[in-house]
Amino acid sequence: MAVKKFVVGVFTDEAVLFPAIGKVRSAGYKIHEVYTPMPIHGMDHALGLRDTSLHTAGFIYGITGTTTALTGIGWVFNIDWPVNIGGKSHFDLAAWIPITFELTVLFSAVGMFLTFLFLNQMAPFVRKHHFNLRSTDDQFTMVIELTEKSNAEEIKAFLTNVGAVGINLQEAETGWWIGRYDTDKTPLKHKGELLA
Amino acid sequence: MQAPLRYESQVRTALVEGQKDYHQVTEDIVRPVEAAPSRLWWIGFIISVCCLLFGVWSVTEQVIYGVGQWNLHRTIGWGWDITNFVWWVGIGHAGTLISAILLLFRQGWRTGVNRAAEAMTIFAVMCAGQFPIWHMGRVWLCFFIMPYPNTRGPVWPNFNSPLLWDVFAISTYFTVSVLFWYSGLIPDIATVRDRAKVKWRKLMYGVLSFGWTGSTKHWQRHESLSLVLAGLSTPLVLSVHTIVSMDFATSVIPGWHTTIFPPYFVAGAIFSGFAMVQTLLLVSRKVLKLEGYITLEHIEVMNKVIVLTGSIVGIAYLTELFISWYGQNKFEGWAFAQNRVNIFSPYGWSYYLMMGCNVLSPQIFWFRKMRRNLTVTFFMSVIVNIGMWFERFVIIVTSIYRDYLPSSWAMYYAPSIWEVGFYIGTFGLFFTCYFLFSKFFPVIAIAEIKHILKKSGESYKEKMGPLEQMPVEEFAHEYAHAH
């Protein structure tokens, strides 16, 4: 949650973007984010991001569902209200498999989806700063954070060198805020103002 | 020259036809969303809404006067409603197969059709759910099927009953399908949002996009979510129709006394689902001008699935017929020999109609020319769905109209106007939803098409041609420094 300054480099080809990421990183610049219109395999590793543990969360939600189903049905049929159904056992595990399976899947899917939204800070009426509107269309946008040590002009020249086709300087709120996309009421006074 | 990031052999047909780049893909797919609906769209939409309203009227009659408005009676307690329920659930299965199972198998062609197929799944399951709910009669008490602590004992539902398994299976299937579909839609909604010029469009797609930015970390999580949801949906979709088949197979009614039902129902579900996908996509690609994305190749591949699953269904029909004789259960044997195979029995015709539509007619797709013929495909997709409807009719009605006690045999069952109206109403619901979906959302997954564009797009594959002809030494010399 802070307003920072960024140099934004726009690329039109992922084959140019990939080597550029390596060069920018080895030159020691701090890549804030790379925005792409589609998933690009290997990009997360190129950026040095660690693997997501969303699937681990999914597994935990899943076994929670399994446990809920088994303990729930077991409690109902054995403790709360044991009913004689055709003389069958009160602890009829085989007959509980379908519901146990369904609840496992349900808990895992819903839990993962909500965790996905939470981690990505996504919800209806959530707004974020968009550095380049065409990064959901056909452009790849690399955003480099300006620190006290770095020089904007130097980064710009570097980005041109590695193949960026459009470069600009933006001041942006890094977090999210409650807002709508049809109005421009943002917590930042000169939001997205082109400084250069 | 830069080395290509991904490469696919020329032997495989291009999945995106024409000279397209990323921007062109966005333009083509978003165009129907941004343009005003065509006259054809309005006609279709109004007809669908009329059917839906007729369905609402039919259901209202039934709620006011009771299930007696339907021509069900003590012998044939399940007729059109459960036939329609199983039929609609089955149709949903193709969507999950395309989006989940083919994702796990890394089938690139799914990207052109998965969005529409998933939408179809959701709408079909919505239609299916109507039948058991309204069949309850006192529908205002429908929450009794959910297990919750209550003041009636507490009385719990029977967790050992396939009917309750169905409640869990269908509701889980619906929920997971919606999540899978929506999580895939979010990036594409963001694409529409970022192109929006009008206020309401910015607002609506802004809200629906959940603030998606397309950052690498988000895509990484998105990929993980899609993969795990696909992994969960794969056994889920198999379980749903398995459980539906257990509604029948766990009972002791002659004709349902068969352990082959689960795989046979699942194959039948995929079979009918693909037929419905064909019906919808053949119309959608034409009306929305998306022939470059839903190509003849896609149609052909789906026809291959139809002939495969149709043949599996055929083997299942013959197997259950054989077992009814081999099993030496005389009630079961009689149900097959007299109620079904005997063409002169009251419903004998429906058995042969089913055999003809589901087993014989799809065999035409062994011929490549027929698989790539749009008229034949469209005609067959309708035939298959008629056949699959009759399969459920045969299973349900021909099994229960004559059972153990000849004095309770009921020879003729014909649906009342309100039963037919209810069925028409679900068509109305299905197509109303589909029309709205095709107007307001991209019917093709934009991000996924972009993902395969440089591998399977026609213009990019052409560029690979000279590379393939190059001698190895020259290729190595040219590309040795690329990485």
Side-chain angles (χ1 to χ4, degrees):
Chain A
M1 300 296 145
V3 179
K4 288 178 182 169
K5 285 184 180 173
F6 300 95
V7 179
V8 180
V10 174
F11 295 78
T12 50
D13 190 351
E14 65 268 45
V16 179
L17 175 69
F18 254 100
I21 290 176
K23 285 173 196 160
V24 170
R25 286 189 70 204
S26 50
Y29 298 121
K30 190 178 169 192
I31 297 185
H32 170 68
E33 269 302 355
V34 175
Y35 300 95
T36 58
M38 71 279 195
I40 297 178
H41 289 171
M43 181 85 102
D44 44 350
H45 294 296
L47 282 169
L49 298 175
R50 73 176 181 87
D51 279 341
T52 173
S53 38
L54 192 58
H55 44 266
T56 315
F59 177 75
I60 294 169
Y61 295 131
I63 54 172
T64 313
T66 318
T67 323
T68 310
L70 288 179
T71 51
I73 303 175
W75 176 76
V76 164
F77 272 2
N78 290 279
I79 297 164
D80 190 51
W81 199 273
V83 182
N84 184 341
I85 302 164
K88 288 174 194 159
S89 156
H90 287 304
F91 198 85
D92 198 358
L93 206 55
W96 304 347
I97 290 174
I99 291 180
T100 309
F101 171 75
E102 301 300 333
L103 283 192
T104 307
V105 170
L106 184 69
F107 274 52
S108 179
V110 174
M112 267 186 82
F113 185 73
L114 294 179
T115 311
F116 167 77
L117 295 185
F118 176 77
L119 291 176
N120 287 354
Q121 297 160 334
M122 282 164 57
F125 294 103
V126 159
R127 253 203 94 155
K128 289 170 193 163
H129 178 75
H130 296 270
F131 290 94
N132 176 10
L133 285 185
R134 283 184 71 172
S135 56
T136 53
D137 179 3
D138 61 341
Q139 294 182 344
F140 306 85
T141 311
M142 187 197 289
V143 179
I144 299 174
E145 192 182 322
L146 267 183
T147 55
E148 281 169 9
K149 289 175 194 163
S150 51
N151 177 334
E153 293 310 314
E154 189 190 308
I155 298 178
K156 280 182 177 178
F158 193 87
L159 279 176
T160 319
N161 223 359
V162 294
V165 292
I167 297 160
N168 59 54
L169 204 59
Q170 290 185 28
E171 197 174 319
E173 163 68 55
T174 53
W176 58 275
W177 63 92
I178 304 287
R180 291 161 38 173
Y181 277 86
D182 58 326
T183 55
D184 263 341
K185 281 178 205 154
T186 64
L188 179 61
K189 274 176 195 158
H190 14 254
K191 185 229 120 194
E193 189 182 328
L194 220 59
L195 300 179
Chain B
M1 189 181 166
Q2 280 289 340
L5 284 173
R6 291 187 301 267
Y7 165 75
E8 189 186 79
S9 165
Q10 294 285 302
V11 176
R12 290 193 176 274
T13 333
L15 292 173
V16 181
E17 285 175 358
Q19 302 294 318
K20 307 222 195 286
D21 56 10
Y22 290 139
H23 183 63
Q24 190 59 39
V25 171
T26 314
E27 287 286 335
D28 287 347
I29 301 176
V30 177
R31 185 179 12 83
V33 178
E34 289 176 344
S38 64
R39 181 190 293 263
L40 215 58
W41 186 91
W42 275 112
I43 295 172
F45 182 68
I46 289 170
I47 294 174
S48 307
V49 172
C50 290
C51 291
L52 176 60
L53 291 178
F54 184 45
V56 172
W57 180 22
S58 306
V59 169
T60 313
E61 285 285 328
Q62 187 255 324
V63 171
I64 294 173
Y65 300 107
V67 187
Q69 290 298 93
W70 295 349
N71 279 354
L72 299 174
H73 42 74
R74 292 183 62 168
T75 302
I76 301 177
W78 281 0
W80 266 51
D81 56 334
I82 301 299
T83 303
N84 299 337
F85 160 69
V86 181
W87 187 77
W88 274 120
V89 177
I91 281 176
H93 280 51
T96 321
L97 184 105
I98 291 174
S99 57
I101 300 183
L102 297 184
L103 176 79
L104 297 183
F105 284 136
R106 301 270 178 232
Q107 294 293 303
W109 65 271
R110 63 178 276 286
T111 50
V113 295
N114 67 341
R115 172 68 45 73
E118 282 169 39
M120 182 200 74
T121 295
I122 293 165
F123 306 147
V125 174
M126 273 161 55
C127 291
Q130 305 300 320
F131 290 97
I133 288 177
W134 297 103
H135 193 186
M136 285 178 196
R138 294 187 215 175
V139 71
W140 48 94
L141 298 178
C142 70
F143 57 89
F144 276 22
I145 58 176
M146 298 313 288
Y148 65 99
N150 54 65
T151 53
R152 287 168 273 128
V155 175
W156 296 96
N158 180 2
F159 294 102
N160 296 352
S161 159
L163 297 180
L164 190 72
W165 302 347
D166 244 0
V167 172
F168 278 87
I170 304 285
S171 49
T172 302
Y173 184 46
F174 179 72
T175 313
V176 175
S177 299
V178 169
L179 296 181
F180 200 7
W181 178 69
Y182 199 77
S183 63
L185 255 176
I186 287 175
D188 292 354
I189 292 176
T191 303
V192 181
R193 173 199 70 200
D194 290 345
R195 289 166 54 92
K197 304 272 187 303
V198 209
K199 189 177 164 68
W200 73 265
R201 205 185 284 279
K202 282 183 184 173
L203 173 64
M204 181 178 122
Y205 292 102
V207 172
L208 293 176
S209 71
F210 288 14
W212 174 264
T213 56
S215 85
T216 310
K217 191 71 194 172
H218 291 192
W219 275 121
Q220 186 200 41
R221 293 192 184 114
H222 190 269
E223 291 275 278
S224 169
L225 178 73
S226 310
L227 194 63
V228 178
L229 282 185
L232 288 171
S233 302
T234 301
L236 176 66
V237 67
L238 302 181
S239 85
V240 171
H241 231 58
T242 298
I243 290 173
V244 169
S245 83
M246 285 173 178
D247 291 346
F248 307 101
T250 55
S251 70
V252 288
I253 304 288
W256 298 349
H257 203 61
T258 149
T259 47
I260 203 181
F261 265 5
Y264 150 30
F265 268 53
V266 171
I270 291 165
F271 179 54
S272 67
F274 267 88
M276 189 57 113
V277 172
Q278 294 279 39
T279 315
L280 288 178
L281 288 185
L282 285 174
V283 178
S284 302
R285 75 196 280 272
K286 188 86 192 157
V287 173
L288 305 176
K289 298 192 180 63
L290 294 171
E291 286 100 334
Y293 300 92
I294 305 169
T295 64
L296 267 186
E297 178 68 15
H298 290 89
I299 308 282
E300 185 184 353
V301 174
M302 289 195 280
N303 280 336
K304 284 180 185 167
V305 177
I306 288 182
V307 68
L308 171 72
T309 47
S311 305
I312 294 176
V313 167
I315 291 174
Y317 291 164
L318 298 179
T319 309
E320 65 170 2
L321 197 59
F322 170 75
I323 292 293
S324 73
W325 165 77
Y326 186 69
Q328 287 295 301
N329 179 321
K330 62 181 176 184
F331 295 102
E332 184 76 3
W334 206 86
F336 273 86
Q338 292 304 320
N339 295 359
R340 294 179 186 173
V341 178
N342 178 4
I343 197 167
F344 301 109
S345 67
Y347 291 109
W349 55 273
S350 61
Y351 188 72
Y352 289 92
L353 191 60
M354 164 190 102
M355 279 286 189
C357 292
N358 293 349
V359 185
L360 297 180
S361 63
Q363 305 305 326
I364 197 174
F365 286 142
W366 286 106
F367 302 100
R368 181 180 152 91
K369 211 167 186 172
M370 294 292 126
R371 289 199 299 268
R372 296 179 84 90
N373 183 321
L374 297 182
T375 321
V376 171
T377 304
F378 188 78
F379 179 72
M380 278 306 305
S381 70
V382 177
I383 290 290
V384 164
N385 266 321
I386 294 175
M388 284 308 291
W389 189 87
F390 272 101
E391 179 200 293
R392 280 64 179 252
F393 182 81
V394 165
I395 291 173
I396 293 168
V397 174
T398 68
S399 291
I400 56 182
Y401 85 110
R402 292 167 168 181
D403 60 1
Y404 302 102
L405 197 63
S407 63
S408 67
W409 286 4
M411 285 309 201
Y412 297 104
Y413 160 70
S416 74
I417 180 71
W418 305 124
E419 275 174 284
V420 180
F422 187 10
Y423 185 42
I424 293 173
T426 53
F427 272 100
L429 177 64
F430 181 81
F431 284 104
T432 303
C433 291
Y434 191 79
F435 275 113
L436 289 175
F437 158 72
S438 66
K439 174 66 200 83
F440 290 105
F441 296 107
V443 291
I444 292 179
I446 306 174
E448 294 195 37
I449 287 288
K450 287 175 186 164
H451 186 63
I452 62 154
L453 185 69
K454 291 204 170 168
K455 191 176 71 175
S456 306
E458 192 182 348
S459 46
Y460 292 92
K461 284 185 90 89
E462 276 169 6
K463 286 181 197 157
M464 295 297 121
L467 293 182
E468 286 193 343
Q469 307 300 327
M470 225 183 245
V472 177
E473 293 77 24
E474 196 186 328
F475 183 85
H477 177 73
E478 195 82 12
Y479 289 99
H481 316 293
H483 292 289

